[in-house]
């Protein structure tokens, strides 16, 4: 196998620290495995003294397999493992821990749920809240933060402190460790027991770390102690692909490596063997807008290929139908469905695309667990209003108590639960309960009136009435403020629900669709780990890291989506840009970047990232100044003849070979 000069420099590195900057598709795994082989065979290094650390079990297994293939199947005692596996092995020796001490997800969830109940916290989506609190606890531990100075994003500082301390106490009482405890305890062990640290330093004299840009503070501090005093620390990564800041990963750690190790050598793997030069060049234009990074020049080993396609559509349905049509065209051209990936910023975006793929019988596989929007508490609130209105009990001025309890104070009407007596609630009895308070009687009468109106409305009109006339949107805004959320997060979800309702004339048809959609999600969950299926890959930008596909679509490339509306600080925006860079560099041959001009009836702006790679000189780094709109005749001449120019009638259940395209609105600089 022929190696580039920079690859050889990294492989043949013998002693001391080295930082390998490995751009996308530059062969970093090959470099790591060949360096291990070089150390063993050419430098006579004892295999048992070499430790290779990865971030995932799959990466560790792949690394081991590739190394064994290089060494003709010899099972040399080189250690390949994740941070958690390596550090837990150390703890097992010191404290006699075993697998029973590792907390399962359901155990951690149960602890927080018990604390939420104990403190009588008012949260609508308990599962989501618990998940976010556990993520925050992990972040505090991984960053070695002082709890007194941590600002929670999900509840008050006082309440987060109670939840954190209660969680830690319960874990100790149950003799359980979470993954972050493995790191923290290992750090404490090494700082307190020099003899144990020295023993492990003698064992592991050569340490290689893959994806170093994803390391957090406590992991780095442990590794530094473990690598001393020889400091044979070989790190491989790309600061431009650091996209796990929410888990504590910071590119600043990699950027500061040479300050921590002034004697460290640096080598750049600057040749991309994966993507065409057009893709590499556009991605390079984008990432150069980041200020906190190593300057590097990445070149493509392949030719120019087809130009990057950047397209703006009138709305999301048009964008989705076009993606469907182009997938069909690619299949007709001889591509497999598994050659195609559709990437998006968050797991809330692909619902419409999934529904259309189901309609056209195009198989797909999701890499992420997708939340079922129809099981969300907002959907259930809206459906409960509609269900009460349609219930025959409504003719008798009655409702099921469980249903009434769900909606009586959404929005706030200040109706007491005590006023709702029995399994069947009589609105007349409730009014009688408040007979001395005219204003309360009026509120209940207003609710009765609203329910009568709802009974007559089609699904989309009913949802809109609940949101605007009844005031449910105002309730969502109040709840968002209480939870320290941006109201847009909840309002956009309500928009999605309303968009879904617009496709159905009756509630029965809409409910049937919800059932079918839920079954598809369950099937996706069962098939998620099945490999080698010929189906379109759907995944978030986060999940796409480390993967590659001949054809990649980036959908919904709009402001407030990517970059996400939560990205306010410069560090947040740079992380979002890195994420978009990762998404772009997953493509080998064809890259399509799509955005919409309207969503949920509201105007949308294309992402600043589009302007940054199309018009790299239009604005200084860090500033967003949209480039010019360009409409060019003949811009589609190089495309497949019928790919985007036919308008085709929709059918109830079209087959895959039927056309799904519609004439899009083409904006911006569009090239193919």
């Amino acid at each position: 196998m022929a190696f580039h000069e920079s690859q050889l420099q990294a492989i043949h590195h013998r002693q001391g620290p080295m930082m390998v900057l490995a751009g996308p598709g530059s062969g970093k795994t090959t470099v790591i495995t060949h360096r291990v082989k070089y150390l063993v065979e050419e430098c006579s290094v004892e295999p048992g003294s070499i430790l290779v650390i990865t971030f995932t079990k799959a990466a560790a297994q792949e690394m081991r397999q590739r190394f064994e293939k290089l060494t003709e199947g010899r099972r040399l005692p080189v250690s390949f493992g994740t941070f958690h596996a390596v550090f837990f092995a150390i703890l097992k020796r010191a404290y006699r821990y075993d697998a029973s001490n590792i907390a399962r997800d359901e155990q951690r969830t149960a602890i927080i749920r018990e604390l939420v109940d104990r403190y009588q916290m008012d949260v609508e989506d308990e599962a989501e809240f618990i998940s976010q609190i556990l993520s925050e606890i992990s972040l505090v531990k991984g960053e070695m933060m002082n709890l007194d100075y941590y600002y929670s994003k999900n509840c008050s500082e006082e309440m987060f402190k109670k939840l954190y301390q209660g969680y830690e106490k319960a874990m100790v009482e149950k003799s359980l460790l979470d993954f972050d405890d493995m790191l923290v305890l290992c750090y404490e062990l090494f700082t307190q027991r020099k003899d144990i640290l020295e023993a492990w330093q003698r064992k592991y004299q050569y340490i290689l770390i893959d994806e170093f840009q994803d390391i957090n503070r406590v992991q780095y501090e442990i590794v530094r102690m473990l690598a001393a005093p020889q400091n044979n620390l070989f790190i491989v990564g790309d600061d431009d692909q650091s996209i796990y800041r929410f888990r504590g990963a910071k590119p600043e750690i990699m950027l500061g490596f040479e300050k921590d190790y002034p004697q460290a050598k640096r080598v750049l793997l600057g040749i991309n063997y994966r993507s065409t030069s057009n893709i590499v060049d556009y991605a390079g234009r984008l990432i150069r807008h980041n200020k906190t990074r190593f300057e590097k020049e990445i070149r493509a080993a392949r030719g120019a290929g087809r130009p990057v396609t950047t397209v703006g559509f009138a709305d999301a349905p048009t964008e989705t139908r076009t993606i469907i049509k182009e997938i069909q065209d690619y299949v007709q051209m001889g591509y497999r469905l598994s050659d195609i990936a559709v990437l998006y910023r968050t797991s809330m975006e692909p619902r419409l695309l999934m529904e259309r793929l189901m309609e056209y019988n195009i198989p797909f596989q999701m890499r992420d667990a997708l939340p079922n929007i129809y099981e969300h508490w907002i959907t259930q609130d809206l459906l409960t209003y509609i269900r009460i209105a349609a219930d025959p009990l409504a003719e008798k001025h009655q409702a099921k108590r469980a249903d009434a309890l769900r909606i009586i104070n959404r929005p706030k009407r200040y109706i007491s639960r005590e006023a709702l007596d029995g399994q069947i609630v009589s609105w007349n009895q409730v009014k009688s309960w408040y007979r001395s308070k005219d204003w309360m009687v009026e509120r209940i009468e207003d609710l009765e009136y609203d329910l009568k109106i709802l009974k007559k409305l089609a699904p989309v009109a009913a949802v809109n009435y609940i949101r605007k006339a009844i005031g449910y949107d105002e309730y969502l805004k109040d709840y968002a403020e209480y939870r320290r959320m941006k109201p847009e997060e909840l309002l956009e979800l309500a928009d999605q629900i309303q968009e879904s309702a617009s496709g159905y004339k009756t509630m029965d048809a809409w409910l049937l669709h919800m059932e079918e959609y839920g079954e598809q999600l369950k099937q996706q969950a069962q098939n998620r780990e099945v490999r080698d299926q010929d189906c379109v890959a759907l995944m978030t930008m986060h999940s796409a890291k480390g993967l590659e596909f001949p054809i990649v679509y980036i959908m919904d490339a709009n402001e407030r989506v990517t970059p996400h509306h939560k990205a306010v600080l410069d560090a947040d925006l740079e992380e979002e840009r890195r994420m978009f860079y990762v998404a772009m560099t997953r493509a080998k041959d064809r890259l399509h970047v799509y955005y919409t001009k309207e969503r949920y009836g509201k105007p949308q702006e294309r992402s600043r990232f589009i302007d940054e790679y199309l018009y790299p000189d239009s604005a200084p780094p860090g500033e967003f100044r949209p480039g010019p709109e360009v409409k060019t005749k003949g811009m589609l001449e190089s495309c497949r003849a019928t790919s985007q120019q036919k308008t085709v009638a929709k059918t109830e259940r079209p087959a895959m070979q039927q056309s799904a395209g519609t004439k899009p609105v083409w904006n911006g600089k569009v090239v193919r």
Side-chain angles (χ1 to χ4, degrees):
M1 179 177 183
F3 290 104
H4 188 266
E5 181 182 348
S6 58
Q7 291 176 317
L8 286 174
Q9 187 180 348
I11 292 169
H12 294 161
H13 177 71
R14 291 183 177 241
Q15 301 287 334
M18 170 172 272
M19 176 172 64
V20 180
L21 296 176
S26 60
K28 63 180 180 62
T29 303
T30 298
V31 165
I32 292 172
T33 52
H34 276 80
R35 183 178 184 248
V36 175
K37 180 175 182 286
Y38 176 78
L39 289 174
V40 173
E41 296 182 354
E42 303 297 329
C43 304
S44 301
V45 172
E46 174 60 40
S49 68
I50 301 174
L51 171 64
V52 182
I53 305 178
T54 66
F55 278 86
T56 67
K57 187 177 179 180
Q61 290 173 340
E62 181 191 0
M63 202 86 70
R64 179 183 293 279
Q65 290 168 358
R66 292 178 65 168
F67 176 69
E68 289 180 355
K69 188 176 180 180
L70 281 178
T71 55
E72 300 176 346
R74 289 182 292 159
R75 296 193 62 85
L76 299 174
V78 176
S79 296
F80 294 87
T82 64
F83 277 99
H84 295 111
V86 171
F87 296 161
F88 187 62
I90 294 171
L91 294 176
K92 282 178 23 179
R93 293 277 190 93
Y95 299 125
R96 306 294 182 186
Y97 285 125
D98 57 40
S100 66
N101 297 113
I102 302 176
R104 302 186 306 275
D105 287 342
E106 55 267 30
Q107 290 175 299
R108 300 171 67 229
T109 297
I111 291 171
I112 299 297
R113 182 178 289 115
E114 183 180 332
L115 292 168
V116 169
D117 292 340
R118 182 188 305 173
Y119 297 121
Q120 299 181 338
M121 298 184 68
D122 183 19
V123 293
E124 298 292 353
D125 192 335
E126 186 178 71
E128 179 193 28
F129 177 76
I130 291 173
S131 174
Q132 291 177 349
I133 290 297
L134 286 171
S135 294
E136 288 197 274
I137 290 173
S138 177
L139 182 64
V140 169
K141 291 182 181 181
E143 282 298 290
M144 307 168 72
M145 296 181 186
N146 186 326
L147 192 59
D148 292 331
Y149 301 103
Y150 179 71
Y151 181 85
S152 175
K153 297 179 180 178
N154 292 284
C155 58
S156 68
E157 284 69 52
E158 181 184 357
M159 183 53 67
F160 179 77
K161 194 171 184 178
K162 287 181 179 179
L163 293 174
Y164 184 98
Q165 293 172 339
Y167 172 82
E168 290 290 88
K169 182 181 178 183
M171 293 286 284
V172 172
E173 290 173 349
K174 298 175 185 292
S175 299
L176 293 174
L177 300 174
D178 59 26
F179 287 127
D180 299 291
D181 290 330
M182 297 178 192
L183 308 181
V184 173
L185 288 176
C186 196
Y187 174 80
E188 292 175 350
L189 176 67
F190 281 176
T191 55
Q192 297 168 10
R193 292 289 303 275
K194 299 297 183 184
D195 56 328
I196 294 177
L197 171 61
E198 289 171 0
W200 287 102
Q201 287 172 333
R202 289 192 296 272
K203 176 171 176 57
Y204 293 130
Q205 298 189 26
Y206 290 83
I207 301 175
L208 300 86
I209 302 178
D210 188 26
E211 302 286 4
F212 187 81
Q213 75 279 348
D214 296 332
I215 202 166
N216 67 23
R217 179 58 57 185
V218 67
Q219 289 168 337
Y220 183 49
E221 294 301 330
I222 297 170
V223 165
R224 289 193 68 189
M225 287 190 283
L226 193 57
Q230 299 184 68
N231 294 329
N232 290 323
L233 186 56
F234 186 87
I235 67 167
V236 182
D238 183 7
D239 56 302
D240 289 334
Q241 298 186 69
S242 178
I243 60 173
Y244 297 115
R245 189 163 168 264
F246 66 95
R247 294 197 313 222
K250 292 183 179 177
E252 290 84 354
I253 295 176
M254 189 169 189
L255 291 166
F257 184 79
E258 291 170 313
K259 292 182 179 178
D260 295 332
Y261 297 95
Q263 72 276 34
K265 296 181 179 178
R266 185 203 300 187
V267 63
L268 170 65
L269 304 184
I271 297 180
N272 184 316
Y273 297 95
R274 172 190 301 153
S275 307
T276 64
S277 64
N278 276 323
I279 295 170
V280 172
D281 291 346
Y282 270 45
R285 289 184 187 182
L286 170 75
I287 201 62
R288 280 194 287 272
H289 282 76
N290 271 6
K291 298 176 182 178
T292 308
R293 62 185 294 266
F294 288 113
E295 287 293 332
K296 57 182 80 72
E297 195 66 38
I298 305 296
R299 296 181 291 112
R302 301 175 58 194
R306 301 300 294 270
V308 174
T309 306
T310 303
V311 181
F313 297 93
D315 51 32
T318 307
E319 176 192 44
T320 300
R321 288 195 296 270
T322 301
I323 292 174
I324 296 289
K325 180 62 176 70
E326 292 188 346
I327 289 172
Q328 294 173 325
D329 287 346
Y330 275 126
V331 171
Q332 291 177 359
M333 293 167 63
Y335 286 96
R336 290 168 54 87
L337 289 173
S338 55
D339 291 332
I340 304 169
V342 183
L343 312 184
Y344 35 84
R345 174 62 180 85
T346 71
S347 59
M348 296 305 296
E349 290 163 56
R351 178 194 56 82
L352 185 59
L353 177 63
M354 280 180 58
E355 292 175 350
R356 296 299 172 263
L357 288 168
M358 290 163 58
E359 286 182 8
Y360 286 86
N361 299 315
I362 300 176
F364 62 93
Q365 187 177 37
M366 306 192 68
R367 191 172 175 87
D368 313 87
L370 187 70
N372 188 345
I373 188 176
Y374 302 121
E375 293 178 350
H376 196 279
W377 60 268
I378 293 178
T379 309
Q380 295 305 308
D381 283 355
L382 298 171
L383 290 177
T384 301
Y385 265 107
I386 297 170
R387 184 167 57 248
I388 292 176
D391 195 316
L393 288 170
E395 297 292 334
K396 303 177 183 178
H397 301 276
Q398 295 175 336
K400 295 183 178 72
R401 187 172 189 270
D403 287 343
L405 282 173
R406 185 171 192 109
I407 60 94
I408 54 169
N409 288 311
R410 302 178 185 182
K412 200 71 175 175
R413 299 182 179 93
Y414 300 96
I415 300 174
S416 171
R417 296 171 67 95
E418 297 177 5
L420 279 61
D421 189 29
Q423 294 303 306
I424 302 298
V425 173
S426 167
W427 297 120
N428 289 328
Q429 287 182 359
V430 178
K431 285 186 285 188
S432 178
W433 204 82
Y434 284 108
R435 56 183 175 273
S436 62
K437 300 177 180 177
D438 293 343
W439 66 91
M440 291 299 298
V441 173
E442 185 178 342
R443 287 172 181 171
I444 299 161
E445 289 176 343
D446 287 343
L447 175 58
E448 286 188 280
Y449 174 81
D450 289 330
L451 292 173
K452 287 180 181 179
I453 296 292
L454 283 176
K455 186 178 180 179
K456 305 173 184 177
L457 300 178
V460 66
V463 172
N464 188 62
Y465 186 87
I466 297 166
R467 296 180 63 189
K468 307 302 182 185
I470 295 179
Y472 189 78
D473 276 8
E474 294 306 310
Y475 162 74
L476 292 180
K477 293 175 184 177
D478 291 341
Y479 180 73
E481 184 178 2
Y482 165 71
R483 280 285 312 280
R484 296 187 172 183
M485 303 168 65
K486 288 192 175 182
E488 291 87 347
E489 294 180 52
L490 301 179
L491 294 173
E492 285 177 10
L493 196 144
D495 286 337
Q496 280 206 40
I497 299 165
Q498 189 165 331
E499 179 188 65
S500 171
S502 66
Y504 302 90
K505 294 181 179 180
T506 67
M507 278 302 302
D508 287 344
W510 192 26
L511 291 171
L512 178 61
H513 164 72
M514 293 181 193
E515 184 180 346
E516 293 176 343
Y517 183 82
E519 289 300 316
Q520 179 63 52
L521 286 183
K522 291 177 183 178
Q523 185 179 333
Q524 286 292 324
Q526 294 171 355
N527 296 338
R528 193 164 292 122
E529 300 303 321
V530 180
R531 303 298 181 208
D532 302 321
Q533 295 186 87
D534 189 28
C535 49
V536 179
L538 308 184
M539 66 192 74
T540 62
M541 295 177 181
H542 278 112
S543 295
K545 190 168 177 293
L547 303 178
E548 59 182 39
F549 299 89
I551 302 159
V552 168
Y553 287 86
I554 300 176
M555 63 180 292
D556 296 340
N558 288 91
E559 283 290 301
R560 302 185 61 76
V561 176
T562 175
H564 198 266
H565 61 78
K566 289 184 178 179
V568 179
L569 303 176
D570 288 344
D572 298 327
L573 287 170
E574 293 211 347
E575 173 108 339
E576 292 286 318
R577 189 174 288 108
R578 291 193 294 269
M579 204 178 313
F580 204 93
Y581 174 78
V582 167
M584 294 179 74
T585 54
R586 299 312 93 193
K588 297 169 67 176
D589 305 322
R590 300 298 306 271
L591 174 61
H592 303 265
V593 182
Y594 291 171
Y595 66 97
T596 62
K597 294 192 70 177
E598 180 193 276
R599 197 169 187 91
Y600 314 126
K602 304 169 187 173
Q604 302 290 303
E605 270 188 292
R606 67 172 179 249
S607 171
R608 68 188 69 192
F609 302 149
I610 290 176
D611 290 78
E612 287 173 357
Y613 71 68
L614 286 180
Y615 313 105
D617 301 323
S618 65
E623 293 186 16
F624 178 40
R625 188 180 305 158
E629 293 287 337
V630 178
K631 296 182 180 180
T632 307
K633 287 186 177 180
M635 64 178 61
L636 302 180
E637 291 177 358
S638 64
C639 298
R640 295 168 300 278
T642 61
S643 183
Q644 265 89 38
Q645 298 186 46
K646 296 189 292 183
T647 301
V648 181
K650 294 175 67 178
T651 61
E652 185 68 21
R653 282 283 175 182
M656 179 178 169
Q657 66 268 22
Q658 290 179 286
S659 182
T662 185
K663 191 174 182 179
V665 177
W666 303 91
N667 293 312
K669 185 183 289 184
V670 183
V671 286
R672 298 212 181 193

